[in-house]
Amino acid sequence: MFIFDADCHISPTFQGGVSISYDELVRRMDRAGVERALTWLQPPYERGRVDDGNAYVAKAQKAHPDRIAGFGWADPRLGVDRALDAVRRCIGGYGFPGVKLNGAQNEFVIDDDSLSMPVIEEIARLGGMLALHIGGDSPENTHPWRAGRIARQYPELQILIVHIGGAAFHDLSRACIDVAAEHLNMTLIGSAVRAQSIIRAIKTLGPERVCFGSDTPFELMHVEVAKYGALLDEVVDARGRELVMGDAIRGILRSRGSGVATPG
């Protein structure tokens, strides 16, 4: 079975703490039996080093083109113009399929009309994908209904919803699943969220719209693979398991014209 981890982080300043290099990410992938990893920079980071982080992700993809699928990051709190430049560099320069916004880590409202929406508009204009941190760690900034507003405004924009409203003691997963049920351009990544929420998402949306994610290095990849192996029992058939564990995200990337998805 082809396993594609849809939520991994690396950092150019990986000394100490839980931060890891791209070589360490590949080592963990080998241990877990993961073929590919959708990879973005790792918070927390020095706010002024977002560009360095994106460049490091691009370097990782170049070093391991068959294993690491890079994805961009933009922080509009550093300035909208700078965030727009980051989007253009990530999609047009590095060839990333899209850009992630994290309103919890970077402290902004994800559908703010003057701050984040111009950045999302540029991602959509360039034909990229949008990834959003949607979690209970910052419910005001990243509430699922804010992602729903974005999805309605940009119905052709493929949106990856990371954490399904989990990532904290406050669980917004039910609201997140309800919103996703109304917007076909949303796909959920089940990282840092309770197993019952992942099961509910699969039963509600189908296995083609829920993707495995480990949130490496904040969680242990091989443990998360084992967790999914257990929770998928009696929830999906063999094809459903393949979709959740890798084929769904691989198909999305292929459909967006990204070179990171291998045939097969």
Side-chain angles (χ1 to χ4, degrees), residues 101-105 110 132-145 147 161-173 176 189 191-193:
L101 300 180
N102 188 330
Q105 177 67 33
I110 58 172
L132 293 171
H133 173 108
I134 301 295
D137 50 347
S138 184
E140 177 62 24
N141 288 348
T142 69
H143 197 281
W145 69 259
I161 302 297
V162 187
H163 307 313
I164 318 184
F169 293 111
H170 301 287
D171 186 358
L172 300 177
S173 62
C176 189
I189 297 175
S191 56
V193 65

Side-chain angles (χ1 to χ4, degrees), residues 69-123:
F71 208 93
W73 190 289
D75 181 358
R77 282 290 302 276
L78 296 176
V80 173
D81 287 342
R82 183 171 175 181
L84 293 173
D85 286 341
V87 167
R88 294 167 191 141
R89 186 178 305 110
C90 286
I91 296 175
Y94 298 141
F96 294 157
V99 176
K100 183 177 180 180
L101 300 180
N102 188 330
Q105 177 67 33
N106 299 146
E107 300 178 331
F108 64 88
V109 175
I110 58 172
D111 64 338
D112 185 288
D113 288 325
S114 61
L115 196 63
S116 50
M117 292 302 275
V119 181
I120 294 170
E121 168 69 28
E122 186 67 2
I123 295 170

Side-chain angles (χ1 to χ4, degrees), residues 14-33:
F14 50 83
Q15 295 84 4
V18 298
S19 299
I20 62 172
S21 67
Y22 59 74
D23 286 330
E24 173 62 17
L25 173 60
V26 172
R27 188 194 70 79
R28 296 189 186 193
M29 292 167 66
D30 289 341
R31 178 180 182 183

Side-chain angles (χ1 to χ4, degrees), residues 45-65:
Y45 55 83
E46 295 179 33
R47 291 292 289 275
R49 299 197 64 182
V50 176
D51 294 339
D52 292 344
N54 284 326
Y56 186 70
V57 173
K59 182 180 178 182
Q61 180 172 272
K62 184 176 182 179
H64 299 282

Side-chain angles (χ1 to χ4, degrees), residues 199-251:
I199 292 171
R200 184 181 300 115
I202 294 169
K203 289 183 175 180
T204 302
L205 305 174
E208 66 277 2
R209 293 185 60 201
V210 182
C211 303
F212 163 68
S214 69
D215 205 19
T216 295
F218 302 108
E219 299 290 348
L220 298 176
M221 184 182 288
H222 67 285
V223 174
E224 294 302 299
V225 169
K227 166 186 162 181
Y228 264 77
L231 73 85
L232 290 176
D233 285 344
E234 301 181 11
V235 177
V236 294
D237 59 15
R239 180 55 186 152
R241 183 182 292 268
E242 291 172 347
L243 284 165
V244 173
M245 295 305 294
D247 282 1
I249 188 65
R250 185 164 58 162

